[in-house]
Amino acid sequence: MPQDVGARRGRPPISDEQRREQRLAISRQAVRLFREQGVTATSGEQIARAAGVSERTLWRWFRTKEACVEPLLSRATEDFQAVLRSWPPGADLGEHLRAEYAFLGAPSAADVADVLAVIRMTRDEPVLRAVWLVLHERAETTLAEVLGERLGLPADDLRVRLRAAAVNAALRVATEDLARTAADDPGAARRHHAEFDAAMRAALRAFDGPDVHRASARSGDLAHDGV
């Protein structure tokens, strides 16, 4: 019978870290089942059984069976956000990304195949596509906050929001391209870093201009690619 963590009376509640790990475990099982038998043929009951939790726990943490992919899929955006937050003041963003960003780098590398498989599935599964796009919408807020701070502008400034949207779009499209090509091309992952760097620089240059240069100069963080 599935073990439902925290369900027994008198048992102390699980920590945030334990909850995160259990949600991720459920996500891995959901993705495995989706890959093996398709989204339509997979039920919430099957996912709960495979993950060793009760259906009650599953539906408490996930509103739909498709939403179960969110913890695993979010790794594609969270790793990038973490690298962006570590961007040193005064450093060039492009150089920082080249040095620090690698798609699902350690410690999450073990999930690369599953993450790429889910991203591929988003092309044909509208509900999974919606989950993917919502994750990127959330990530865009973080991008705007970091870019705004570096430019000395409010995060809701139109110039900042446009640049955040461009960075976000470059990340999404480059990741989708990696997912599309990686299944049949072992060298795709190696090329992804260079292609992503080129896409990011192109996206940033599209919004380069004197008004942003002045704001960047005031903050002491003008980069040659316009960030």
Side-chain angles (χ1 to χ4, degrees):
M1 184 172 180
Q3 294 181 351
D4 192 350
V5 177
R8 298 175 186 173
R9 180 175 298 178
R11 190 168 182 172
I14 64 176
S15 66
D16 290 343
E17 179 62 22
Q18 289 173 317
R19 182 178 294 104
R20 189 190 72 83
E21 288 300 322
Q22 190 167 20
R23 280 173 51 86
L24 187 57
I26 293 172
S27 189
R28 290 187 177 112
Q29 292 300 326
V31 171
R32 179 182 65 80
L33 290 170
F34 289 164
R35 295 181 70 181
E36 290 176 356
Q37 59 192 37
V39 177
T40 301
T42 300
S43 67
E45 180 183 5
Q46 289 176 314
I47 296 172
R49 187 186 309 118
V53 300
S54 69
E55 282 192 78
R56 179 180 179 181
T57 293
L58 181 76
W59 299 129
R60 185 170 67 246
W61 288 350
F62 301 99
R63 61 193 180 280
T64 65
K65 66 180 182 181
E66 292 87 357
C68 291
V69 305
E70 184 174 324
L72 192 57
L73 195 57
S74 65
R75 292 196 162 195
T77 57
E78 288 175 351
D79 283 6
F80 180 78
Q81 290 179 73
V83 171
L84 191 63
R85 289 191 187 98
S86 69
W87 177 21
D92 175 75
L93 177 58
E95 292 178 0
H96 175 65
L97 291 176
R98 281 197 301 276
E100 302 296 333
Y101 176 69
F103 179 72
L104 291 190
S108 57
D111 290 323
V112 167
D114 282 339
V115 172
L116 293 178
V118 176
I119 295 172
R120 283 194 296 274
M121 283 190 284
T122 65
R123 293 181 298 173
D124 304 310
E125 296 287 346
V127 180
L128 295 184
R129 184 70 178 175
V131 174
W132 176 232
L133 294 178
V134 166
L135 288 173
H136 271 278
E137 183 178 357
R138 294 174 185 169
E140 197 166 302
T141 300
T142 298
L143 304 183
E145 291 172 353
V146 175
L147 292 174
E149 179 183 352
R150 294 298 189 271
L151 293 168
L153 296 168
D156 61 354
D157 185 278
L158 179 60
R159 292 162 294 181
V160 174
R161 291 170 56 200
L162 287 172
R163 295 165 80 83
V167 169
N168 194 29
L171 173 64
R172 179 181 60 77
V173 172
T175 304
E176 290 173 355
D177 185 69
L178 172 62
R180 178 181 59 82
T181 57
D184 303 315
D185 182 1
R190 291 192 298 272
R191 293 195 304 272
H192 172 73
H193 196 268
E195 292 173 349
F196 173 75
D197 175 58
M200 189 66 64
R201 286 182 174 275
L204 292 170
R205 281 196 300 269
F207 295 98
D208 198 10
D211 55 342
V212 176
H213 275 269
R214 286 193 294 270
S216 299
R218 287 196 300 271
S219 69
D221 190 33
L222 177 60
H224 72 265
D225 60 5
V227 176

